[in-house]
Amino acid sequence: MTIEDLLHSPGEWLKTGGNLGDVVVSSRIRLARNLNGFHFLTKASAAERRDIVRTLCEAINSAQFGIETFYIDVEKADPIDRQFLVERQLISRQHGEGEGSRGVAIGATEQISLMINEEDHLRMQVLRHGMDLDAAWNQIATIDAALEATVEFAFHEQYGYLTACPTNVGTGLRVSVMLHLPALKITNEIEKVLRAAKDMRLAVRGLYGEGTEALGDFFQVSNQVTLGRSEEEIVTDFKNNVIPSIVRYEQETRKALRNDRLTALDDKIWRAFGVLSNARAISSEEALFLLSHLRLGTVMERIKHIDLGVINDLFLFTQSAHLQKRCGKRLDGEQRSILRADYIRERLAKAQPSTN
Amino acid sequence: MTIEDLLHSPGEWLKTGGNLGDVVVSSRIRLARNLNGFHFLTKASAAERRDIVRTLCEAINSAQFGIETFYIDVEKADPIDRQFLVERQLISRQHGEGEGSRGVAIGATEQISLMINEEDHLRMQVLRHGMDLDAAWNQIATIDAALEATVEFAFHEQYGYLTACPTNVGTGLRVSVMLHLPALKITNEIEKVLRAAKDMRLAVRGLYGEGTEALGDFFQVSNQVTLGRSEEEIVTDFKNNVIPSIVRYEQETRKALRNDRLTALDDKIWRAFGVLSNARAISSEEALFLLSHLRLGTVMERIKHIDLGVINDLFLFTQSAHLQKRCGKRLDGEQRSILRADYIRERLAKAQPSTN
């Protein structure tokens, strides 16, 4: 399997039909691990980095965790391919933009990706569409155990797993849930959520993780501290408290919009549809912003002729690297804006609305 | 005939098919006159104002200028009716908002309107769609002569016709041409036109004359000074020099947009179409702005399924008083925005585009 095979599927991230799928886009768990007997990457020589890649690739190939993976050498990959992997949430921006020997082993369905030489020697990630932390946790625990049967991870009796950055020491766990919160954004109540998240020591980031802004009303909520709590405690807290309370808040705000500000809501939704269906050039930021409103319109059934799958495709395939890979060549910003608009118009035209 | 009879026609102002109709919306000539033996309005008592109305109404009814008129008592008219007349360009904003005895005699086709007790005792106006100053001048000269055969206007051997404001003394003539200049606006070259107009002592105003901003790329160009030049000189200069040079500039700029920035042009045009076809609430300013781009798209044949007549109707009937008169009741701003959006969607939906 190659990176090209991924191009024509929506991957795991943007599949429809997940649990709490009106608000929760995807659930993700990652574990940070480092090999015993090697320096952390900040101190590792180029040769040592290569050794780490070789050791972990062998471990991944020989470990028994039940899913076949294919490996992409991120160091040697074309910049558009790297960006493509970032856009599919299979590697982090840091991993894509980094230097030196590094790579990622990806499961065919894109549910798992194992980054080698990101910030730590190994960052395992399991992704599930919708709210599904249990499945993600079970799968990543299986992978972790299988790998630990073949290699030795740096571990300290008292502190737990050792990591390059102290905030990851302990479980090395990060639980992230990607939420679509357009109603809270429209009403400005998102500020309350952000303040509450800060008080609860949660991080709220944008679509592409660390250092990215919340675009198109997508917010990635994750734990910040892993030391002193068990994996199960963190996952359970997310599953039972943190995420359900934000989801409920968004759902109630949507209801309030429907009851009290229906025309203003419809106006936003249909304007987004109107611009997306007619623009001849559109930036990725604007597309994301408008698609977000269109998504709200679809899940609230204010727009009935457009399938959520179409909107998810549009989210994915209007990203810069996706556009360039689809047309098979490098494009400048203006060309991308035109191609993006063409693609969106074409997809939306196939679902013509009844006149309303 | 009553004001209600006007409601369902586009009037003269926004008829299609006029000379240079891609740029010139309408041509207008007005003459300011005052009755001899009466004070100017700033000094006139309420009783004297009524006398002026009576005298001029009798003169208009008995004068032989070949067109039947009907009279509207603007003082007693409903505020929505007054605003309606302003929106149709049949009275000035000042006349609508003024005080005291006043009125207007309107020709059935809306080509002529004779305002009594606006700033002067009598302001005659002839309107023609497209570029047609000759016809307008011939008609207004006929009306002027016919009235002068029945009443005596204040006239001074040396200065000419006397008027309330010194800038109108002499011929009392104002020539105005309403231009649609979206390409010059898009390219910012409109600034050059405005500077040149100032140098030529021309006034450039918005849709509703004095004190109104240029909205939706509509610019009303008129002479400022009437003293020391004959009527024919002023009209001829407008017809042969002033207007053709601005029209040519706009046309060349449109050509340049087509040749060099076609995608950006199409993007503007189709976004306007998209928002207008989908919005659920829209202010009059935004509607005007977007309809202006849609008009450009239609006259440049970038949008082929929408008739210019439809767009002109939308310009006219989305104005506040027109909306309220059509639905037969007073509406607040929010209600108007919703009704305006409904009306626009309905009219545009009847002309569904082929998918493109």
Side-chain angles (χ1 to χ4, degrees), chain B residues 32-68:
Chain B
R33 298 287 183 262
N34 289 275
L35 293 173
N36 211 1
F38 290 84
H39 288 103
F40 283 138
L41 290 171
T42 44
K43 297 262 183 181
S45 66
E48 197 173 6
R49 285 182 76 108
R50 284 194 296 274
D51 270 359
I52 294 166
V53 168
R54 203 179 46 246
T55 306
L56 282 169
C57 276
E58 282 171 14
I60 290 166
N61 285 330
S62 64
Q64 301 292 323
F65 51 82
I67 288 182
E68 214 167 314

Short mmCIF file of all heavy atoms in Angstrom, two decimals, chain B residues 32-68:
data_model
loop_
_atom_site.label_atom_id
_atom_site.label_comp_id
_atom_site.label_asym_id
_atom_site.label_seq_id
_atom_site.Cartn_x
_atom_site.Cartn_y
_atom_site.Cartn_z
N ALA B 32 -35.65 74.84 -12.17
CA ALA B 32 -36.17 75.46 -10.96
C ALA B 32 -36.82 76.79 -11.34
O ALA B 32 -36.22 77.60 -12.06
CB ALA B 32 -35.03 75.70 -9.97
N ARG B 33 -38.04 76.98 -10.88
CA ARG B 33 -38.77 78.21 -11.18
C ARG B 33 -39.48 78.72 -9.92
O ARG B 33 -39.85 77.93 -9.05
CB ARG B 33 -39.83 77.97 -12.26
CG ARG B 33 -39.29 77.52 -13.61
CD ARG B 33 -38.61 78.67 -14.34
NE ARG B 33 -38.15 78.28 -15.66
CZ ARG B 33 -36.89 77.92 -15.94
NH1 ARG B 33 -35.97 77.88 -14.97
NH2 ARG B 33 -36.53 77.63 -17.18
N ASN B 34 -39.67 80.03 -9.87
CA ASN B 34 -40.43 80.62 -8.77
C ASN B 34 -41.45 81.59 -9.34
O ASN B 34 -41.21 82.23 -10.37
CB ASN B 34 -39.49 81.35 -7.80
CG ASN B 34 -38.65 80.36 -7.00
OD1 ASN B 34 -39.06 79.85 -5.98
ND2 ASN B 34 -37.47 80.04 -7.55
N LEU B 35 -42.59 81.68 -8.66
CA LEU B 35 -43.66 82.57 -9.14
C LEU B 35 -43.32 84.01 -8.81
O LEU B 35 -42.89 84.32 -7.69
CB LEU B 35 -44.99 82.19 -8.48
CG LEU B 35 -45.57 80.83 -8.87
CD1 LEU B 35 -46.79 80.52 -8.01
CD2 LEU B 35 -45.94 80.83 -10.36
N ASN B 36 -43.54 84.85 -9.76
CA ASN B 36 -43.38 86.28 -9.50
C ASN B 36 -44.47 86.73 -8.52
O ASN B 36 -45.58 86.21 -8.55
CB ASN B 36 -43.52 87.05 -10.84
CG ASN B 36 -42.67 88.31 -10.81
OD1 ASN B 36 -41.98 88.59 -9.83
ND2 ASN B 36 -42.72 89.07 -11.89
N GLY B 37 -44.11 87.66 -7.61
CA GLY B 37 -45.12 88.18 -6.70
C GLY B 37 -45.31 87.35 -5.44
O GLY B 37 -46.15 87.67 -4.60
N PHE B 38 -44.56 86.29 -5.30
CA PHE B 38 -44.59 85.50 -4.05
C PHE B 38 -43.19 85.49 -3.43
O PHE B 38 -42.19 85.61 -4.14
CB PHE B 38 -45.00 84.05 -4.33
CG PHE B 38 -46.44 83.89 -4.74
CD1 PHE B 38 -46.83 84.07 -6.07
CD2 PHE B 38 -47.41 83.56 -3.80
CE1 PHE B 38 -48.15 83.92 -6.46
CE2 PHE B 38 -48.73 83.39 -4.18
CZ PHE B 38 -49.11 83.58 -5.51
N HIS B 39 -43.15 85.37 -2.09
CA HIS B 39 -41.85 85.23 -1.44
C HIS B 39 -41.21 83.90 -1.81
O HIS B 39 -41.91 82.94 -2.12
CB HIS B 39 -42.00 85.27 0.08
CG HIS B 39 -42.33 86.62 0.61
ND1 HIS B 39 -43.60 86.97 1.00
CD2 HIS B 39 -41.55 87.71 0.82
CE1 HIS B 39 -43.60 88.23 1.43
NE2 HIS B 39 -42.36 88.70 1.33
N PHE B 40 -39.88 83.86 -1.76
CA PHE B 40 -39.21 82.54 -1.77
C PHE B 40 -39.70 81.77 -0.55
O PHE B 40 -40.14 82.36 0.44
CB PHE B 40 -37.68 82.70 -1.71
CG PHE B 40 -37.06 83.11 -3.02
CD1 PHE B 40 -36.06 84.07 -3.05
CD2 PHE B 40 -37.48 82.52 -4.22
CE1 PHE B 40 -35.48 84.44 -4.26
CE2 PHE B 40 -36.90 82.90 -5.42
CZ PHE B 40 -35.90 83.86 -5.44
N LEU B 41 -39.58 80.44 -0.60
CA LEU B 41 -40.22 79.63 0.45
C LEU B 41 -39.66 79.88 1.84
O LEU B 41 -40.39 79.74 2.84
CB LEU B 41 -40.12 78.14 0.10
CG LEU B 41 -40.99 77.74 -1.11
CD1 LEU B 41 -40.67 76.32 -1.55
CD2 LEU B 41 -42.47 77.90 -0.79
N THR B 42 -38.40 80.26 1.93
CA THR B 42 -37.82 80.53 3.26
C THR B 42 -38.56 81.66 3.97
O THR B 42 -38.56 81.73 5.19
CB THR B 42 -36.34 80.92 3.14
OG1 THR B 42 -36.20 81.83 2.06
CG2 THR B 42 -35.46 79.68 2.92
N LYS B 43 -39.18 82.54 3.18
CA LYS B 43 -39.89 83.70 3.76
C LYS B 43 -41.41 83.56 3.68
O LYS B 43 -42.14 84.41 4.18
CB LYS B 43 -39.50 84.97 2.99
CG LYS B 43 -38.03 85.35 3.05
CD LYS B 43 -37.81 86.42 4.11
CE LYS B 43 -36.34 86.86 4.12
NZ LYS B 43 -36.10 87.87 5.15
N ALA B 44 -41.87 82.52 3.00
CA ALA B 44 -43.31 82.43 2.74
C ALA B 44 -44.07 81.92 3.96
O ALA B 44 -43.60 81.02 4.67
CB ALA B 44 -43.57 81.49 1.55
N SER B 45 -45.25 82.52 4.22
CA SER B 45 -46.11 82.05 5.31
C SER B 45 -46.81 80.76 4.87
O SER B 45 -46.80 80.42 3.68
CB SER B 45 -47.17 83.11 5.62
OG SER B 45 -48.04 83.22 4.50
N ALA B 46 -47.43 80.11 5.83
CA ALA B 46 -48.17 78.89 5.52
C ALA B 46 -49.26 79.19 4.50
O ALA B 46 -49.49 78.42 3.56
CB ALA B 46 -48.77 78.29 6.79
N ALA B 47 -49.93 80.32 4.67
CA ALA B 47 -51.00 80.69 3.75
C ALA B 47 -50.45 80.93 2.35
O ALA B 47 -51.04 80.51 1.34
CB ALA B 47 -51.71 81.95 4.24
N GLU B 48 -49.28 81.58 2.30
CA GLU B 48 -48.67 81.88 0.99
C GLU B 48 -48.26 80.57 0.29
O GLU B 48 -48.42 80.42 -0.91
CB GLU B 48 -47.47 82.80 1.19
CG GLU B 48 -47.03 83.49 -0.09
CD GLU B 48 -45.93 84.54 0.15
OE1 GLU B 48 -45.44 84.64 1.29
OE2 GLU B 48 -45.57 85.23 -0.82
N ARG B 49 -47.74 79.60 1.09
CA ARG B 49 -47.38 78.29 0.52
C ARG B 49 -48.61 77.64 -0.12
O ARG B 49 -48.54 77.06 -1.20
CB ARG B 49 -46.85 77.34 1.61
CG ARG B 49 -45.44 77.64 2.08
CD ARG B 49 -45.00 76.59 3.13
NE ARG B 49 -44.67 75.34 2.47
CZ ARG B 49 -43.42 74.89 2.33
NH1 ARG B 49 -42.41 75.58 2.80
NH2 ARG B 49 -43.21 73.75 1.71
N ARG B 50 -49.75 77.74 0.58
CA ARG B 50 -50.97 77.14 0.03
C ARG B 50 -51.39 77.84 -1.26
O ARG B 50 -51.80 77.21 -2.22
CB ARG B 50 -52.10 77.21 1.07
CG ARG B 50 -51.95 76.17 2.19
CD ARG B 50 -53.24 76.03 3.02
NE ARG B 50 -53.58 77.26 3.74
CZ ARG B 50 -53.09 77.57 4.95
NH1 ARG B 50 -52.25 76.76 5.57
NH2 ARG B 50 -53.46 78.70 5.54
N ASP B 51 -51.23 79.19 -1.26
CA ASP B 51 -51.53 79.96 -2.47
C ASP B 51 -50.67 79.50 -3.64
O ASP B 51 -51.14 79.40 -4.78
CB ASP B 51 -51.24 81.45 -2.23
CG ASP B 51 -52.45 82.17 -1.70
OD1 ASP B 51 -53.51 81.51 -1.55
OD2 ASP B 51 -52.34 83.38 -1.44
N ILE B 52 -49.40 79.26 -3.34
CA ILE B 52 -48.47 78.84 -4.40
C ILE B 52 -48.91 77.49 -4.96
O ILE B 52 -48.96 77.29 -6.17
CB ILE B 52 -47.03 78.76 -3.83
CG1 ILE B 52 -46.54 80.16 -3.44
CG2 ILE B 52 -46.08 78.12 -4.85
CD1 ILE B 52 -45.29 80.16 -2.57
N VAL B 53 -49.26 76.56 -4.05
CA VAL B 53 -49.72 75.24 -4.50
C VAL B 53 -50.94 75.41 -5.40
O VAL B 53 -51.00 74.84 -6.50
CB VAL B 53 -50.05 74.33 -3.29
CG1 VAL B 53 -50.81 73.09 -3.75
CG2 VAL B 53 -48.78 73.93 -2.56
N ARG B 54 -51.91 76.22 -4.94
CA ARG B 54 -53.14 76.39 -5.72
C ARG B 54 -52.83 76.98 -7.10
O ARG B 54 -53.29 76.48 -8.12
CB ARG B 54 -54.13 77.26 -4.95
CG ARG B 54 -55.58 77.03 -5.38
CD ARG B 54 -56.58 77.87 -4.60
NE ARG B 54 -56.14 79.25 -4.48
CZ ARG B 54 -55.81 79.84 -3.32
NH1 ARG B 54 -55.88 79.17 -2.18
NH2 ARG B 54 -55.41 81.11 -3.30
N THR B 55 -52.04 78.04 -7.09
CA THR B 55 -51.71 78.72 -8.35
C THR B 55 -51.03 77.77 -9.33
O THR B 55 -51.37 77.71 -10.51
CB THR B 55 -50.77 79.91 -8.06
OG1 THR B 55 -51.37 80.74 -7.07
CG2 THR B 55 -50.48 80.70 -9.33
N LEU B 56 -50.07 77.00 -8.81
CA LEU B 56 -49.31 76.12 -9.72
C LEU B 56 -50.14 74.92 -10.17
O LEU B 56 -50.04 74.47 -11.31
CB LEU B 56 -48.00 75.68 -9.06
CG LEU B 56 -46.91 76.77 -9.09
CD1 LEU B 56 -45.74 76.39 -8.20
CD2 LEU B 56 -46.43 77.02 -10.53
N CYS B 57 -50.98 74.39 -9.28
CA CYS B 57 -51.85 73.28 -9.68
C CYS B 57 -52.78 73.71 -10.81
O CYS B 57 -52.97 72.98 -11.80
CB CYS B 57 -52.69 72.80 -8.49
SG CYS B 57 -51.77 71.63 -7.45
N GLU B 58 -53.34 74.91 -10.67
CA GLU B 58 -54.21 75.43 -11.73
C GLU B 58 -53.45 75.58 -13.03
O GLU B 58 -53.92 75.20 -14.10
CB GLU B 58 -54.80 76.79 -11.32
CG GLU B 58 -55.96 76.64 -10.33
CD GLU B 58 -56.39 78.01 -9.77
OE1 GLU B 58 -55.96 79.05 -10.34
OE2 GLU B 58 -57.12 78.02 -8.77
N ALA B 59 -52.23 76.11 -12.92
CA ALA B 59 -51.40 76.31 -14.11
C ALA B 59 -51.10 74.97 -14.78
O ALA B 59 -51.19 74.84 -16.00
CB ALA B 59 -50.10 77.03 -13.74
N ILE B 60 -50.74 73.99 -13.97
CA ILE B 60 -50.40 72.66 -14.53
C ILE B 60 -51.62 72.04 -15.21
O ILE B 60 -51.53 71.47 -16.30
CB ILE B 60 -49.85 71.74 -13.41
CG1 ILE B 60 -48.47 72.23 -12.96
CG2 ILE B 60 -49.78 70.28 -13.88
CD1 ILE B 60 -47.97 71.63 -11.66
N ASN B 61 -52.79 72.22 -14.58
CA ASN B 61 -54.00 71.63 -15.16
C ASN B 61 -54.42 72.32 -16.45
O ASN B 61 -54.96 71.67 -17.35
CB ASN B 61 -55.15 71.68 -14.15
CG ASN B 61 -54.95 70.63 -13.07
OD1 ASN B 61 -54.36 69.57 -13.33
ND2 ASN B 61 -55.43 70.91 -11.86
N SER B 62 -54.18 73.62 -16.52
CA SER B 62 -54.65 74.33 -17.72
C SER B 62 -53.59 74.41 -18.82
O SER B 62 -53.93 74.62 -19.97
CB SER B 62 -55.12 75.73 -17.33
OG SER B 62 -54.02 76.48 -16.83
N ALA B 63 -52.34 74.23 -18.45
CA ALA B 63 -51.28 74.36 -19.47
C ALA B 63 -51.37 73.23 -20.48
O ALA B 63 -51.81 72.12 -20.17
CB ALA B 63 -49.91 74.36 -18.80
N GLN B 64 -50.94 73.51 -21.70
CA GLN B 64 -51.04 72.53 -22.79
C GLN B 64 -49.66 71.96 -23.09
O GLN B 64 -48.94 72.48 -23.93
CB GLN B 64 -51.60 73.21 -24.04
CG GLN B 64 -52.98 73.84 -23.86
CD GLN B 64 -54.05 72.79 -23.64
OE1 GLN B 64 -54.01 71.72 -24.24
NE2 GLN B 64 -55.01 73.07 -22.75
N PHE B 65 -49.26 70.93 -22.38
CA PHE B 65 -47.95 70.34 -22.74
C PHE B 65 -48.08 68.86 -23.11
O PHE B 65 -47.11 68.13 -23.21
CB PHE B 65 -46.89 70.57 -21.66
CG PHE B 65 -47.29 70.19 -20.26
CD1 PHE B 65 -47.21 68.87 -19.84
CD2 PHE B 65 -47.76 71.15 -19.37
CE1 PHE B 65 -47.57 68.52 -18.55
CE2 PHE B 65 -48.13 70.79 -18.07
CZ PHE B 65 -48.04 69.47 -17.66
N GLY B 66 -49.32 68.43 -23.30
CA GLY B 66 -49.52 67.14 -23.97
C GLY B 66 -49.46 65.90 -23.09
O GLY B 66 -49.56 64.79 -23.59
N ILE B 67 -49.28 66.08 -21.80
CA ILE B 67 -49.22 64.89 -20.93
C ILE B 67 -50.13 65.11 -19.73
O ILE B 67 -50.09 66.15 -19.09
CB ILE B 67 -47.78 64.62 -20.45
CG1 ILE B 67 -46.94 64.11 -21.61
CG2 ILE B 67 -47.77 63.61 -19.30
CD1 ILE B 67 -45.53 63.77 -21.22
N GLU B 68 -50.94 64.10 -19.46
CA GLU B 68 -51.82 64.21 -18.31
C GLU B 68 -51.02 63.92 -17.03
O GLU B 68 -50.18 63.03 -17.03
CB GLU B 68 -52.94 63.20 -18.45
CG GLU B 68 -54.24 63.70 -17.86
CD GLU B 68 -55.38 62.79 -18.31
OE1 GLU B 68 -55.45 62.47 -19.52
OE2 GLU B 68 -56.15 62.38 -17.43
#
